[in-house]
Amino acid sequence: MAVYWLTEALPLAATALFPALLFPFFGIMKSSQVAGVYFKDFHLLLIGVICLATSIEKWGLHRRIALSLVTLVGVNPGWLMLGFMNSCAFLSMWVQNTSAVAMVMPIVEAIIQQILNAEGEGEQRQAAMTGTSNLGLELEGEKLTNQKLITLPYHNGLLTWSRQFMTHYHLFFFLKVIGQKIEGRYRSKREHMMCKGLCLSITYSSSIGGIATLPGTSPNLIFSEFYPECTSVNFGNWIVLCLPISIIALLLSWIWLHWMFIGSDFRVLFRPSGERSERETATARVIEEDYNTLGPTSPQEVVTAFIFILMVVLWVFRDPGFMPGWASIFLPEYAGYISDATVALLLGLVFFIMPAHKPSADKQGIKYEAMISWKEFQACMPWEVALLVGGGFALAEGTQVSGLSSWVANLLSPLGSLPIIATVTIACVLVTSVTELASNAATITIFLPILAPLAEAIHVNPLYILIPTTLCTSFAFLLPSSNPSNAIVFAYGHLTTTDMVKAGIGVNVISVLAVLLAVTTWGIPLFDLDTYPDWAPTPSTSNVTGW
């Protein structure tokens, strides 16, 4: 399964079905037992979160959030980059990274067109906002899901591929061809470099922001279900650990990208606002016009924002750790029954019930439109990821039932002689390298059943190794084919593969170091990483540890 996931010889979801087929044949688990492992609390949480994301996209709340955050920081290229990074990172905390990039990138492209042409031709700007004027990727409805088609305009024809069936290597080939069509579009190297920096900042910030919350990215959710008995991995503890990581990595990555693509003179960031250049004025005009086209905040946006805030508050205070949570206060006799998935599902179902408009009657009957429809939900729901995660759960269960995890633990026990920070660093570098070639969800699904027995064998809290490696799984920054977010940005035609590799190495180093800093400082008391927990299996033999 690991080989098939890495090479994508079969669709990822198809490979995830192997345990359901092979475990019964080899007498490892009964078919009914395997089937029961495929669907867990994770899937309910994912459904609730996608309901929220569907409403955010449908009613345009994402555009209002993005433009508001960009307006706050100003139109200087450096501040503009930081504003877009903040916007994309914030959106990625609550929706899929790919969706966040697909939401923000058309706005960035419109501004880039104004930078390239301060006069701003109306036709060019309108085409950029709809995602059709770029030489790379045509986004339909500003969304890219597993069911959407990637349309790559090239020469006189259209190359249309379904991302569901496109491997990393097919994608890389076509994007490389398109990336060669960028010559002659820029009046100076400075303009070109600025466009490169803006594009890279979007895809990198989406991955950095996604790690800050449990539902922000698939690897986080997959990890949260690996040890069901572990109660310390919840929304509140996770955001306390990971939000500072995202902030640190985001700021340092911004400095790195500014130095690479805009310049090392940071004094221009603090220039008086009255000294704007012609292009900065044009950029400010684009942002203002875009925001004005949104009109006043609609009731649907208000409802979506309220439910979004309510969901976050209920997640944080369900079991915050520093005080009794609302679940234990209102339902003391059912302690532990309610999870983050319960909250997400409850509020997610509200979107199917609450009317978007006042019901009206005509000859055909009463017209009633809910906030979202099932068809709209299906268009956003990543069913492939849901099945992939289920296959990972089944694979992990099979390794325990068959005794494979114990065998691996004995093989890895000599690593207990290393300092724990060395073991964690090696694991982080390893998964960061592999995730450049495989999908994030597949990478964490492969490594969790390997690293968990390692931690148990050396008698180290499994969270000490699994949390940093889970976070590093999202750091796929080097190649256009590393993740769909990179592919979207690359296909706009402003970047080359070399640009992404050079910038991605620095962002990779920054992000991994930020994770190691967090886990070895405030992460230790937050998750009791210096003690071996009761919920973790006790190794059968005593091993030398790194403590």
Side-chain angles (χ1 to χ4, degrees), residues 216-283:
T217 186
S218 297
N220 295 357
L221 289 172
I222 296 171
F223 160 72
S224 66
E225 286 294 326
F226 194 77
Y227 283 108
E229 299 84 6
C230 177
T231 58
S232 60
V233 178
N234 53 51
F235 184 89
N237 283 349
W238 190 270
I239 202 169
V240 169
L241 174 71
C242 297
L243 184 58
I245 297 176
S246 290
I247 294 174
I248 293 172
L250 200 69
L251 288 176
L252 293 180
S253 297
W254 170 63
I255 294 173
W256 167 253
L257 293 175
H258 191 290
W259 177 78
M260 282 196 68
F261 296 103
I262 298 179
S264 57
D265 185 6
F266 290 91
R267 292 174 297 179
V268 298
L269 296 172
F270 305 100
R271 185 177 56 191
S273 58
E275 300 179 9
R276 286 181 177 177
S277 66
E278 181 182 349
R279 290 182 186 133
E280 289 177 357
T281 303
T283 301

Side-chain angles (χ1 to χ4, degrees), residues 185-453:
R185 300 174 60 191
Y186 313 95
R187 289 178 294 183
S188 67
K189 182 179 179 181
R190 180 175 175 272
E191 284 182 348
H192 192 185
M193 295 295 285
M194 184 166 51
C195 294
K196 289 180 179 182
L198 285 174
C199 291
L200 287 173
S201 67
I202 299 302
T203 184
Y204 292 162
S205 60
S206 70
S207 297
I208 293 172
I211 68 173
T213 61
L214 274 179
T217 186
S218 297
N220 295 357
L221 289 172
I222 296 171
F223 160 72
S224 66
E225 286 294 326
F226 194 77
Y227 283 108
E229 299 84 6
C230 177
T231 58
S232 60
V233 178
N234 53 51
F235 184 89
N237 283 349
W238 190 270
I239 202 169
V240 169
L241 174 71
C242 297
L243 184 58
I245 297 176
S246 290
I247 294 174
I248 293 172
L250 200 69
L251 288 176
L252 293 180
S253 297
W254 170 63
I255 294 173
W256 167 253
L257 293 175
H258 191 290
W259 177 78
M260 282 196 68
F261 296 103
I262 298 179
S264 57
D265 185 6
F266 290 91
R267 292 174 297 179
V268 298
L269 296 172
F270 305 100
R271 185 177 56 191
S273 58
E275 300 179 9
R276 286 181 177 177
S277 66
E278 181 182 349
R279 290 182 186 133
E280 289 177 357
T281 303
T283 301
R285 185 170 62 248
V286 172
I287 296 174
E288 183 180 359
E289 290 176 359
D290 288 341
Y291 191 85
N292 291 336
T293 57
L294 297 177
T297 305
S298 66
Q300 295 84 1
E301 290 180 80
V302 173
V303 170
T304 302
F306 175 78
I307 295 178
F308 164 67
I309 295 172
L310 180 61
M311 186 179 291
V312 173
V313 171
L314 292 178
W315 275 339
V316 171
F317 292 99
R318 178 183 63 82
D319 186 18
F322 58 86
M323 59 177 286
W326 60 264
S328 60
I329 294 176
F330 293 104
L331 299 169
E333 66 274 19
Y334 299 112
Y337 278 50
I338 296 177
S339 67
D340 291 338
T342 312
V343 174
L345 200 59
L346 170 65
L347 297 180
L349 291 175
V350 170
F351 288 109
F352 291 104
I353 301 171
M354 182 170 293
H357 307 283
K358 184 178 180 180
S360 60
D362 57 16
K363 295 180 180 180
Q364 298 178 350
I366 298 177
K367 290 185 177 181
Y368 180 89
E369 180 187 1
M371 290 288 292
I372 62 174
S373 66
W374 182 256
K375 184 178 181 180
E376 292 164 342
F377 167 78
Q378 279 188 308
C380 290
M381 179 65 187
W383 295 109
E384 182 185 29
V385 173
L387 198 55
L388 170 65
V389 173
F393 291 153
L395 183 63
E397 185 72 14
T399 60
Q400 295 182 2
V401 173
S402 65
L404 177 62
S405 59
S406 300
W407 181 72
V408 171
N410 290 330
L411 290 178
L412 297 177
S413 58
L415 292 177
S417 59
L418 292 176
I420 183 59
I421 187 60
T423 304
V424 172
T425 303
I426 292 172
C428 289
V429 173
L430 181 60
V431 298
T432 304
S433 302
V434 173
T435 198
E436 302 290 349
L437 304 175
S439 71
N440 299 350
T443 302
I444 194 62
T445 304
I446 292 169
F447 278 96
L448 280 179
I450 298 174
L451 297 175

